């Protein structure tokens, strides 16, 4: 009887094991890879792209480029890059980020064909997602070093 109670308790502990942790909106796996976070971002961006297509379609294409650019810069880009200074950016994650940006650009332009990525981003005046990623990393580094220097200045 004591042995079966121990086995049940052990099975419940194994079932309740957590593999991904969420902290301030960023998902961390036990191996510290960014796969779990990128899966969440993929789903979020897919929903946001559908929202943007529907919103721009209901907007009757009045100032579609301006409105789409505003939605991208204020909603989609921050959702994609949230927590990026904590990522270990792998080639697969970078290609996912490029794909997210490309799909957003196609939604703004309302095109079904697949033009070259640089041409599409150039027409919209968007920077490649790699540049935005690196810019966020630099801002975060400056923020951290600035706060470190400020704490040492107090003493």
């Amino acid at each position: 009887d004591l042995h079966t109670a121990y086995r049940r308790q052990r099975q419940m502990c194994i079932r309740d094991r957590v593999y991904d942790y969420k902290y301030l909106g960023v998902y961390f796996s036990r191996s510290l890879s960014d796969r779990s976070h990128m899966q969440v971002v993929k789903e979020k961006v897919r929903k946001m792209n559908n929202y943007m297509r529907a919103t721009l379609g209901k907007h009757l294409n009045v100032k579609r480029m301006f409105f789409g650019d505003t939605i991208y810069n204020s909603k989609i880009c921050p959702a994609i890059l949230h927590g990026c200074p904590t990522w270990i950016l792998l080639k697969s994650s970078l290609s996912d980020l490029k794909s997210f940006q490309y799909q957003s650009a196609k939604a703004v332009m309302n095109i079904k064909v697949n033009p070259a990525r640089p041409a599409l981003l150039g027409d919209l005046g968007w920077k490649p997602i790699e540049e935005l990623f690196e810019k966020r990393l630099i801002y975060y580094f400056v923020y951290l070093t600035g706060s470190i220097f400020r704490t040492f200045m107090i003493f």
Side-chain angles (χ1 to χ4, degrees), residues 55-127:
T55 303
L56 292 175
K58 291 177 186 173
H59 203 253
L60 300 175
N61 291 333
V62 176
K63 294 189 177 182
R64 182 182 184 94
M65 302 283 283
F66 174 75
F67 193 47
D69 188 48
T70 303
I71 292 173
Y72 174 76
N73 287 320
S74 64
K75 299 290 181 199
I76 295 177
C77 196
I80 292 173
L81 295 175
H82 175 70
C84 69
T86 61
W87 300 347
I88 300 168
L89 195 62
L90 303 172
K91 285 184 180 182
S92 60
S93 300
L94 184 61
S95 67
D96 286 342
L97 291 174
K98 288 178 182 180
S99 175
F100 299 153
Q101 187 182 35
Y102 186 73
Q103 293 302 320
S104 298
K106 282 179 60 175
V108 170
M109 297 288 279
N110 195 24
I111 54 175
K112 305 291 185 235
V113 296
N114 296 320
R117 185 175 169 268
L120 186 59
L121 297 180
D123 286 346
L124 289 168
W126 294 355
K127 292 183 180 179

